[in-house]
Amino acid sequence: MHVIVHGGAGANPDDPETRQGVLDEAAAAGSDAETPLDAVEQAIHVLESSPRFNGGFGGAVQSDGVVRTDAGVMTDDLETGAACSMPGVEHAVSVARAVMEETPHICVSGEHAVDLAEDFGVETGVDLLSDRARERWAEEDVPEGGPKEHLAYLEERFGTTDPDGNPAEMDHDADEETSSSSDLLDHDTVGAVAYDGDSFAAATSTGGRWLALAGRVGDVPQVGNGFYCAPAGGASATGAGEDIARVTLSRRAVRHLESGHSAQAAADLAISEFGELTGSSAGIIVLDRDGNAGSAFNSDAMQIAVSR
């Protein structure tokens, strides 16, 4: 089984060696699976359970103090499932798989997705706050009230917001004392692509963006944006979610595979186009039908692991 995983594109992380060890463990877990779908789910489970990434346990806190998880999964026969805005769900990728296999729908959200998870054996009611996230949240002073009050606080806190009301400067140097990717719990979205020589699967999972407006859903559970899979190969993206969604980054990479490019060339082309179109940062991993893995990013760092 060919497996490639990523741990998010963003700033240089603290303790990259330890994070790399978790990524290597995730790729190895996927390589032992029976099917590509099993492989991406099992690989992402490892990453969702690690507080060193922003997926599941250790996910980013939204403006109301709640961690909400999102995920999407797809196979090369275009079967797709996604789930989003789920409090208390560590293994969002398994809920996305349940949506794909157990419902006629592509995406289920919020409390209804949590109910679905519970009915199909995915653990709910999990405390997703890591010690670091709990400490960071305690340092914030977000006012009570609705979205307008939260948006006003975020603009005052970070100096500016992007067009979707997200704290745009958090991706750069708004908080210099804790500017590492892992400290900010931002852009450490996790993803995996697997290929068994016959078929592909791709999946992505996230805890979102630190202090995003409560209820915000980014690119991760959107088909073609955070993930995409087709007979030519699969891709998983990470980075500035709103911009990834604007240019359908994962679909763009797979389209390059369909045009005959290798996995590495497809990844390079997709990120180059993304940067030109948005001026923002992202990363992507890709597998092609020759079993080749490719990855590219235009952020400071993106750690990956490939099964051997």
Side-chain angles (χ1 to χ4, degrees), residues 233-272:
S236 171
T238 172
E242 276 67 25
D243 289 323
I244 288 172
R246 289 185 179 100
V247 301
T248 59
L249 179 56
S250 289
R251 180 67 184 102
R252 184 177 294 270
V254 174
R255 188 176 294 116
H256 290 313
L257 293 178
E258 292 170 339
S259 297
H261 292 285
S262 69
Q264 187 58 54
D268 288 336
L269 282 167
I271 290 299
S272 176

mmCIF file of all heavy atoms in Angstrom, residues 233-272:
data_model
loop_
_atom_site.group_PDB
_atom_site.id
_atom_site.type_symbol
_atom_site.label_atom_id
_atom_site.label_comp_id
_atom_site.label_asym_id
_atom_site.label_seq_id
_atom_site.Cartn_x
_atom_site.Cartn_y
_atom_site.Cartn_z
ATOM 1 N N GLY A 233 -5.704 9.608 -9.635
ATOM 2 C CA GLY A 233 -4.961 9.778 -8.393
ATOM 3 C C GLY A 233 -5.748 10.555 -7.359
ATOM 4 O O GLY A 233 -6.930 10.845 -7.543
ATOM 5 N N GLY A 234 -5.078 10.896 -6.266
ATOM 6 C CA GLY A 234 -5.754 11.603 -5.178
ATOM 7 C C GLY A 234 -4.876 12.696 -4.609
ATOM 8 O O GLY A 234 -3.652 12.698 -4.786
ATOM 9 N N ALA A 235 -5.527 13.637 -3.880
ATOM 10 C CA ALA A 235 -4.811 14.771 -3.297
ATOM 11 C C ALA A 235 -5.477 15.197 -2.004
ATOM 12 O O ALA A 235 -6.688 15.044 -1.820
ATOM 13 C CB ALA A 235 -4.767 15.941 -4.280
ATOM 14 N N SER A 236 -4.667 15.748 -1.096
ATOM 15 C CA SER A 236 -5.151 16.337 0.152
ATOM 16 C C SER A 236 -4.431 17.655 0.361
ATOM 17 O O SER A 236 -3.202 17.725 0.244
ATOM 18 C CB SER A 236 -4.881 15.403 1.338
ATOM 19 O OG SER A 236 -5.154 16.052 2.571
ATOM 20 N N ALA A 237 -5.187 18.705 0.674
ATOM 21 C CA ALA A 237 -4.632 20.054 0.789
ATOM 22 C C ALA A 237 -4.661 20.548 2.224
ATOM 23 O O ALA A 237 -5.404 20.041 3.075
ATOM 24 C CB ALA A 237 -5.404 21.019 -0.113
ATOM 25 N N THR A 238 -3.866 21.575 2.485
ATOM 26 C CA THR A 238 -3.782 22.200 3.797
ATOM 27 C C THR A 238 -3.300 23.635 3.622
ATOM 28 O O THR A 238 -2.568 23.939 2.690
ATOM 29 C CB THR A 238 -2.800 21.434 4.709
ATOM 30 O OG1 THR A 238 -2.604 22.168 5.919
ATOM 31 C CG2 THR A 238 -1.443 21.254 4.042
ATOM 32 N N GLY A 239 -3.725 24.509 4.523
ATOM 33 C CA GLY A 239 -3.275 25.894 4.444
ATOM 34 C C GLY A 239 -4.405 26.874 4.665
ATOM 35 O O GLY A 239 -5.295 26.636 5.476
ATOM 36 N N ALA A 240 -4.370 27.971 3.939
ATOM 37 C CA ALA A 240 -5.362 29.035 4.090
ATOM 38 C C ALA A 240 -6.685 28.577 3.479
ATOM 39 O O ALA A 240 -6.877 28.617 2.262
ATOM 40 C CB ALA A 240 -4.876 30.313 3.423
ATOM 41 N N GLY A 241 -7.594 28.145 4.340
ATOM 42 C CA GLY A 241 -8.777 27.419 3.878
ATOM 43 C C GLY A 241 -9.680 28.172 2.944
ATOM 44 O O GLY A 241 -10.168 27.615 1.951
ATOM 45 N N GLU A 242 -9.946 29.441 3.243
ATOM 46 C CA GLU A 242 -10.834 30.191 2.367
ATOM 47 C C GLU A 242 -10.252 30.318 0.962
ATOM 48 O O GLU A 242 -10.962 30.203 -0.049
ATOM 49 C CB GLU A 242 -11.114 31.575 2.966
ATOM 50 C CG GLU A 242 -12.240 31.608 3.991
ATOM 51 C CD GLU A 242 -11.919 30.856 5.276
ATOM 52 O OE1 GLU A 242 -10.723 30.709 5.617
ATOM 53 O OE2 GLU A 242 -12.856 30.409 5.950
ATOM 54 N N ASP A 243 -8.929 30.519 0.876
ATOM 55 C CA ASP A 243 -8.302 30.642 -0.438
ATOM 56 C C ASP A 243 -8.220 29.298 -1.152
ATOM 57 O O ASP A 243 -8.365 29.232 -2.370
ATOM 58 C CB ASP A 243 -6.910 31.258 -0.292
ATOM 59 C CG ASP A 243 -6.972 32.728 0.086
ATOM 60 O OD1 ASP A 243 -7.879 33.421 -0.405
ATOM 61 O OD2 ASP A 243 -6.135 33.175 0.884
ATOM 62 N N ILE A 244 -7.992 28.227 -0.405
ATOM 63 C CA ILE A 244 -8.023 26.893 -1.009
ATOM 64 C C ILE A 244 -9.378 26.634 -1.639
ATOM 65 O O ILE A 244 -9.483 26.111 -2.757
ATOM 66 C CB ILE A 244 -7.697 25.825 0.050
ATOM 67 C CG1 ILE A 244 -6.216 25.880 0.422
ATOM 68 C CG2 ILE A 244 -8.064 24.425 -0.446
ATOM 69 C CD1 ILE A 244 -5.832 24.989 1.589
ATOM 70 N N ALA A 245 -10.448 27.017 -0.937
ATOM 71 C CA ALA A 245 -11.801 26.802 -1.452
ATOM 72 C C ALA A 245 -12.083 27.660 -2.672
ATOM 73 O O ALA A 245 -12.811 27.237 -3.576
ATOM 74 C CB ALA A 245 -12.820 27.088 -0.357
ATOM 75 N N ARG A 246 -11.519 28.842 -2.701
ATOM 76 C CA ARG A 246 -11.770 29.742 -3.844
ATOM 77 C C ARG A 246 -11.218 29.197 -5.156
ATOM 78 O O ARG A 246 -11.742 29.508 -6.229
ATOM 79 C CB ARG A 246 -11.160 31.123 -3.566
ATOM 80 C CG ARG A 246 -11.891 31.926 -2.506
ATOM 81 C CD ARG A 246 -11.304 33.330 -2.372
ATOM 82 N NE ARG A 246 -12.038 34.073 -1.359
ATOM 83 C CZ ARG A 246 -11.639 34.252 -0.099
ATOM 84 N NH1 ARG A 246 -10.477 33.750 0.292
ATOM 85 N NH2 ARG A 246 -12.360 34.935 0.754
ATOM 86 N N VAL A 247 -10.143 28.405 -5.074
ATOM 87 C CA VAL A 247 -9.507 27.925 -6.307
ATOM 88 C C VAL A 247 -9.556 26.408 -6.452
ATOM 89 O O VAL A 247 -8.914 25.847 -7.338
ATOM 90 C CB VAL A 247 -8.043 28.417 -6.401
ATOM 91 C CG1 VAL A 247 -7.984 29.934 -6.374
ATOM 92 C CG2 VAL A 247 -7.181 27.830 -5.300
ATOM 93 N N THR A 248 -10.328 25.715 -5.607
ATOM 94 C CA THR A 248 -10.476 24.254 -5.648
ATOM 95 C C THR A 248 -9.123 23.564 -5.811
ATOM 96 O O THR A 248 -8.867 22.876 -6.795
ATOM 97 C CB THR A 248 -11.454 23.816 -6.759
ATOM 98 O OG1 THR A 248 -10.985 24.274 -8.033
ATOM 99 C CG2 THR A 248 -12.841 24.359 -6.506
ATOM 100 N N LEU A 249 -8.276 23.723 -4.792
ATOM 101 C CA LEU A 249 -6.875 23.318 -4.901
ATOM 102 C C LEU A 249 -6.697 21.830 -5.143
ATOM 103 O O LEU A 249 -5.896 21.421 -5.998
ATOM 104 C CB LEU A 249 -6.119 23.750 -3.644
ATOM 105 C CG LEU A 249 -4.637 23.391 -3.588
ATOM 106 C CD1 LEU A 249 -3.885 23.950 -4.799
ATOM 107 C CD2 LEU A 249 -4.019 23.898 -2.292
ATOM 108 N N SER A 250 -7.387 20.964 -4.401
ATOM 109 C CA SER A 250 -7.180 19.527 -4.577
ATOM 110 C C SER A 250 -7.660 19.057 -5.949
ATOM 111 O O SER A 250 -7.009 18.231 -6.603
ATOM 112 C CB SER A 250 -7.889 18.747 -3.467
ATOM 113 O OG SER A 250 -7.222 18.924 -2.238
ATOM 114 N N ARG A 251 -8.800 19.574 -6.396
ATOM 115 C CA ARG A 251 -9.279 19.212 -7.736
ATOM 116 C C ARG A 251 -8.302 19.687 -8.801
ATOM 117 O O ARG A 251 -8.061 18.985 -9.795
ATOM 118 C CB ARG A 251 -10.671 19.820 -7.986
ATOM 119 C CG ARG A 251 -11.241 19.486 -9.379
ATOM 120 C CD ARG A 251 -11.529 18.008 -9.475
ATOM 121 N NE ARG A 251 -11.981 17.583 -10.794
ATOM 122 C CZ ARG A 251 -11.204 16.972 -11.701
ATOM 123 N NH1 ARG A 251 -9.933 16.737 -11.436
ATOM 124 N NH2 ARG A 251 -11.696 16.592 -12.856
ATOM 125 N N ARG A 252 -7.714 20.848 -8.579
ATOM 126 C CA ARG A 252 -6.735 21.397 -9.515
ATOM 127 C C ARG A 252 -5.539 20.448 -9.652
ATOM 128 O O ARG A 252 -5.063 20.174 -10.762
ATOM 129 C CB ARG A 252 -6.289 22.767 -9.007
ATOM 130 C CG ARG A 252 -5.342 23.530 -9.904
ATOM 131 C CD ARG A 252 -5.042 24.895 -9.293
ATOM 132 N NE ARG A 252 -6.221 25.730 -9.255
ATOM 133 C CZ ARG A 252 -6.593 26.564 -10.227
ATOM 134 N NH1 ARG A 252 -5.846 26.664 -11.325
ATOM 135 N NH2 ARG A 252 -7.683 27.297 -10.115
ATOM 136 N N ALA A 253 -5.053 19.928 -8.523
ATOM 137 C CA ALA A 253 -3.907 19.016 -8.569
ATOM 138 C C ALA A 253 -4.251 17.727 -9.310
ATOM 139 O O ALA A 253 -3.464 17.241 -10.135
ATOM 140 C CB ALA A 253 -3.438 18.703 -7.148
ATOM 141 N N VAL A 254 -5.417 17.157 -9.025
ATOM 142 C CA VAL A 254 -5.806 15.916 -9.697
ATOM 143 C C VAL A 254 -6.045 16.152 -11.183
ATOM 144 O O VAL A 254 -5.756 15.275 -12.016
ATOM 145 C CB VAL A 254 -7.037 15.297 -9.010
ATOM 146 C CG1 VAL A 254 -7.555 14.093 -9.787
ATOM 147 C CG2 VAL A 254 -6.688 14.887 -7.584
ATOM 148 N N ARG A 255 -6.521 17.315 -11.541
ATOM 149 C CA ARG A 255 -6.694 17.634 -12.965
ATOM 150 C C ARG A 255 -5.346 17.587 -13.684
ATOM 151 O O ARG A 255 -5.259 17.147 -14.845
ATOM 152 C CB ARG A 255 -7.344 19.006 -13.131
ATOM 153 C CG ARG A 255 -7.733 19.324 -14.574
ATOM 154 C CD ARG A 255 -8.458 20.649 -14.691
ATOM 155 N NE ARG A 255 -9.750 20.593 -14.014
ATOM 156 C CZ ARG A 255 -10.069 21.338 -12.956
ATOM 157 N NH1 ARG A 255 -9.182 22.173 -12.439
ATOM 158 N NH2 ARG A 255 -11.254 21.262 -12.422
ATOM 159 N N HIS A 256 -4.299 18.021 -13.025
ATOM 160 C CA HIS A 256 -2.965 17.934 -13.632
ATOM 161 C C HIS A 256 -2.529 16.476 -13.793
ATOM 162 O O HIS A 256 -1.864 16.132 -14.778
ATOM 163 C CB HIS A 256 -1.952 18.716 -12.791
ATOM 164 C CG HIS A 256 -2.130 20.199 -12.857
ATOM 165 N ND1 HIS A 256 -2.315 20.874 -14.043
ATOM 166 C CD2 HIS A 256 -2.161 21.141 -11.867
ATOM 167 C CE1 HIS A 256 -2.446 22.176 -13.794
ATOM 168 N NE2 HIS A 256 -2.368 22.362 -12.481
ATOM 169 N N LEU A 257 -2.895 15.615 -12.846
ATOM 170 C CA LEU A 257 -2.636 14.183 -13.028
ATOM 171 C C LEU A 257 -3.371 13.668 -14.256
ATOM 172 O O LEU A 257 -2.812 12.890 -15.052
ATOM 173 C CB LEU A 257 -3.087 13.397 -11.799
ATOM 174 C CG LEU A 257 -2.336 13.602 -10.489
ATOM 175 C CD1 LEU A 257 -2.989 12.761 -9.391
ATOM 176 C CD2 LEU A 257 -0.865 13.250 -10.625
ATOM 177 N N GLU A 258 -4.601 14.083 -14.408
ATOM 178 C CA GLU A 258 -5.419 13.641 -15.545
ATOM 179 C C GLU A 258 -4.849 14.122 -16.874
ATOM 180 O O GLU A 258 -5.090 13.519 -17.923
ATOM 181 C CB GLU A 258 -6.856 14.132 -15.360
ATOM 182 C CG GLU A 258 -7.568 13.466 -14.196
ATOM 183 C CD GLU A 258 -8.895 14.113 -13.840
ATOM 184 O OE1 GLU A 258 -9.103 15.302 -14.202
ATOM 185 O OE2 GLU A 258 -9.717 13.452 -13.188
ATOM 186 N N SER A 259 -4.072 15.202 -16.816
ATOM 187 C CA SER A 259 -3.437 15.730 -18.029
ATOM 188 C C SER A 259 -2.113 15.043 -18.332
ATOM 189 O O SER A 259 -1.444 15.399 -19.307
ATOM 190 C CB SER A 259 -3.207 17.241 -17.882
ATOM 191 O OG SER A 259 -4.436 17.924 -17.753
ATOM 192 N N GLY A 260 -1.723 14.080 -17.490
ATOM 193 C CA GLY A 260 -0.521 13.303 -17.752
ATOM 194 C C GLY A 260 0.689 13.674 -16.930
ATOM 195 O O GLY A 260 1.763 13.094 -17.110
ATOM 196 N N HIS A 261 0.538 14.625 -16.005
ATOM 197 C CA HIS A 261 1.665 15.014 -15.169
ATOM 198 C C HIS A 261 1.895 13.993 -14.057
ATOM 199 O O HIS A 261 0.971 13.306 -13.613
ATOM 200 C CB HIS A 261 1.414 16.393 -14.553
ATOM 201 C CG HIS A 261 1.425 17.502 -15.552
ATOM 202 N ND1 HIS A 261 2.575 17.986 -16.115
ATOM 203 C CD2 HIS A 261 0.402 18.224 -16.094
ATOM 204 C CE1 HIS A 261 2.281 18.970 -16.952
ATOM 205 N NE2 HIS A 261 0.967 19.124 -16.967
ATOM 206 N N SER A 262 3.129 13.904 -13.598
ATOM 207 C CA SER A 262 3.448 13.059 -12.458
ATOM 208 C C SER A 262 2.909 13.682 -11.178
ATOM 209 O O SER A 262 2.488 14.853 -11.155
ATOM 210 C CB SER A 262 4.966 12.910 -12.329
ATOM 211 O OG SER A 262 5.542 14.168 -11.942
ATOM 212 N N ALA A 263 2.957 12.913 -10.095
ATOM 213 C CA ALA A 263 2.470 13.425 -8.816
ATOM 214 C C ALA A 263 3.223 14.673 -8.391
ATOM 215 O O ALA A 263 2.623 15.657 -7.935
ATOM 216 C CB ALA A 263 2.596 12.337 -7.743
ATOM 217 N N GLN A 264 4.544 14.663 -8.521
ATOM 218 C CA GLN A 264 5.320 15.830 -8.098
ATOM 219 C C GLN A 264 5.035 17.039 -8.982
ATOM 220 O O GLN A 264 4.882 18.165 -8.488
ATOM 221 C CB GLN A 264 6.814 15.517 -8.111
ATOM 222 C CG GLN A 264 7.672 16.630 -7.531
ATOM 223 C CD GLN A 264 7.288 16.972 -6.101
ATOM 224 O OE1 GLN A 264 7.246 16.094 -5.241
ATOM 225 N NE2 GLN A 264 6.979 18.231 -5.833
ATOM 226 N N ALA A 265 4.956 16.831 -10.274
ATOM 227 C CA ALA A 265 4.666 17.945 -11.177
ATOM 228 C C ALA A 265 3.275 18.502 -10.915
ATOM 229 O O ALA A 265 3.072 19.726 -10.943
ATOM 230 C CB ALA A 265 4.794 17.483 -12.629
ATOM 231 N N ALA A 266 2.311 17.630 -10.656
ATOM 232 C CA ALA A 266 0.949 18.080 -10.369
ATOM 233 C C ALA A 266 0.908 18.922 -9.101
ATOM 234 O O ALA A 266 0.232 19.953 -9.030
ATOM 235 C CB ALA A 266 0.011 16.883 -10.236
ATOM 236 N N ALA A 267 1.635 18.466 -8.077
ATOM 237 C CA ALA A 267 1.681 19.230 -6.825
ATOM 238 C C ALA A 267 2.334 20.587 -7.047
ATOM 239 O O ALA A 267 1.825 21.625 -6.585
ATOM 240 C CB ALA A 267 2.444 18.437 -5.766
ATOM 241 N N ASP A 268 3.457 20.610 -7.754
ATOM 242 C CA ASP A 268 4.163 21.869 -8.003
ATOM 243 C C ASP A 268 3.295 22.845 -8.791
ATOM 244 O O ASP A 268 3.228 24.039 -8.465
ATOM 245 C CB ASP A 268 5.455 21.600 -8.782
ATOM 246 C CG ASP A 268 6.528 20.927 -7.942
ATOM 247 O OD1 ASP A 268 6.492 21.057 -6.704
ATOM 248 O OD2 ASP A 268 7.400 20.260 -8.543
ATOM 249 N N LEU A 269 2.638 22.345 -9.838
ATOM 250 C CA LEU A 269 1.803 23.209 -10.659
ATOM 251 C C LEU A 269 0.630 23.768 -9.862
ATOM 252 O O LEU A 269 0.307 24.952 -9.949
ATOM 253 C CB LEU A 269 1.282 22.430 -11.871
ATOM 254 C CG LEU A 269 2.265 22.223 -13.026
ATOM 255 C CD1 LEU A 269 1.724 21.171 -13.995
ATOM 256 C CD2 LEU A 269 2.502 23.541 -13.753
ATOM 257 N N ALA A 270 -0.001 22.919 -9.077
ATOM 258 C CA ALA A 270 -1.166 23.362 -8.310
ATOM 259 C C ALA A 270 -0.794 24.446 -7.309
ATOM 260 O O ALA A 270 -1.514 25.453 -7.163
ATOM 261 C CB ALA A 270 -1.801 22.171 -7.591
ATOM 262 N N ILE A 271 0.327 24.279 -6.601
ATOM 263 C CA ILE A 271 0.728 25.286 -5.618
ATOM 264 C C ILE A 271 1.201 26.564 -6.307
ATOM 265 O O ILE A 271 0.940 27.678 -5.823
ATOM 266 C CB ILE A 271 1.818 24.720 -4.689
ATOM 267 C CG1 ILE A 271 1.207 23.652 -3.782
ATOM 268 C CG2 ILE A 271 2.454 25.825 -3.852
ATOM 269 C CD1 ILE A 271 0.107 24.151 -2.869
ATOM 270 N N SER A 272 1.873 26.439 -7.426
ATOM 271 C CA SER A 272 2.281 27.627 -8.171
ATOM 272 C C SER A 272 1.062 28.432 -8.614
ATOM 273 O O SER A 272 1.019 29.661 -8.455
ATOM 274 C CB SER A 272 3.119 27.216 -9.387
ATOM 275 O OG SER A 272 3.450 28.339 -10.171
#
